[in-house]
């Protein structure tokens, strides 16, 4: 059903082949082709620096109102400790009251889990807000846990439409990291 289910299944198969359990598994969504090693390292720091955190997500600033209104971009609002308060495909926080300088943050789907928490997470029932928003991290929040959000300044573009694909291809054309892979 969800990427976390596939991640847990792959993790268990890898552990079986290795003969031991891993401590942390990092889920990178397939629609985030511009994920860099720096982004993965930054996300892992969230678990390394906060032993109480069981799951981490990256977040980044959105660059335009158009991106802020795009339902394919998952927006996030956080508390003072950078724990997610809510995720939505709608623009949050609202600008309808005339406040235009509020944060415009988006979820970047580089998501490290502590091993046992991933398995526990997948055993939880899908939640109402998770279904409404189609954002599985809401399951964590609705069950009373925290999603630690780590800011990344690395550029992130997800691919949800043909235009997104064209944008990513254009960005990758001059990308030094991409050139090293080709």
């Amino acid at each position: 059903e969800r990427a976390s289910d596939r991640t847990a299944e792959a993790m268990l198969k890898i552990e079986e082949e290795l003969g031991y359990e891993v401590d942390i598994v990092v889920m990178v969504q397939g629609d985030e082709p511009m994920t860099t090693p720096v982004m993965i390292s930054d996300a892992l720091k969230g678990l390394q620096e906060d032993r109480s955190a069981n799951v981490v997500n990256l977040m980044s600033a959105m660059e335009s109102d158009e991106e802020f209104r795009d339902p394919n971009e998952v927006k996030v609002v956080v508390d003072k400790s950078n724990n997610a308060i809510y995720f939505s495909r709608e623009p949050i926080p609202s600008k309808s009251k005339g406040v235009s300088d509020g944060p415009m943050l988006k979820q970047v789907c580089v998501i490290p889990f502590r091993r046992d928490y991933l398995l526990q997470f997948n055993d939880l029932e899908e939640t109402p807000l998770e279904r409404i928003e189609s954002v599985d991290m809401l399951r964590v929040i609705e069950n009373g846990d925290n999603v630690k959000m780590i800011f990344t300044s690395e550029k992130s573009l997800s691919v949800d439409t043909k235009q997104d694909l064209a944008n990513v291809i254009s960005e990758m054309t001059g990308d030094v990291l991409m050139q090293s892979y080709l």
Side-chain angles (χ1 to χ4, degrees):
E1 255 326 287
R2 297 255 180 225
S4 60
D5 296 322
R6 294 185 299 275
T7 300
E9 181 182 358
M11 177 191 71
L12 292 172
K13 286 181 180 182
I14 291 168
E15 287 179 341
E16 187 177 317
E17 287 181 24
L18 293 173
Y20 62 87
E21 292 181 356
V22 300
D23 296 324
I24 295 171
V25 61
V26 180
M27 180 172 72
V28 179
Q29 296 280 358
D31 66 352
E32 297 274 355
M34 296 186 70
T35 299
T36 66
V38 169
M39 293 165 84
I40 294 170
S41 295
D42 287 347
L44 283 169
K45 284 180 194 169
L47 290 180
Q48 294 164 335
E49 293 173 0
D50 184 350
R51 295 291 177 190
S52 68
N54 288 310
V55 61
V56 169
N57 262 208
L58 289 182
M59 63 181 170
S60 66
M62 286 183 271
E63 297 179 0
S64 69
D65 281 334
E66 180 183 12
E67 186 178 20
F68 188 60
R69 290 188 308 273
D70 184 347
N72 292 310
E73 294 291 351
V74 175
K75 285 59 127 190
V76 62
V77 290
V78 297
D79 65 16
K80 291 180 180 182
S81 298
N82 280 338
N83 291 309
I85 295 172
Y86 195 70
F87 295 89
S88 182
R89 293 181 179 281
E90 300 299 320
I92 58 171
S94 173
K95 292 185 176 192
S96 67
K97 302 290 184 196
V99 178
S100 61
D101 62 349
M104 296 190 320
L105 299 169
K106 68 178 178 178
Q107 177 191 39
V108 178
C109 292
V110 177
I111 308 170
F113 285 89
R114 294 199 192 279
R115 178 202 186 273
D116 293 341
Y117 189 78
L118 174 61
L119 297 174
Q120 176 188 337
F121 171 81
N122 284 336
D123 284 341
L124 296 171
E125 295 287 323
E126 187 178 54
T127 58
L129 294 174
E130 175 185 7
R131 273 191 300 281
I132 290 166
E133 298 284 2
S134 189
V135 178
D136 53 358
M137 289 297 103
L138 286 168
R139 187 184 320 169
V140 174
I141 296 169
E142 284 186 89
N143 280 285
D145 290 323
N146 290 324
V147 179
K148 186 71 169 182
M149 301 301 295
I150 304 295
F151 188 83
T152 182
S153 57
E154 295 281 304
K155 186 162 181 120
S156 172
L157 296 173
S158 59
V159 177
D160 298 296
T161 66
K162 288 181 180 182
Q163 183 59 52
D164 293 342
L165 179 59
N167 293 343
V168 166
I169 289 170
S170 175
E171 286 289 327
M172 286 183 162
T173 302
D175 184 80
V176 175
L177 188 59
M178 179 54 77
Q179 297 305 316
S180 71
Y181 292 139
L182 297 177

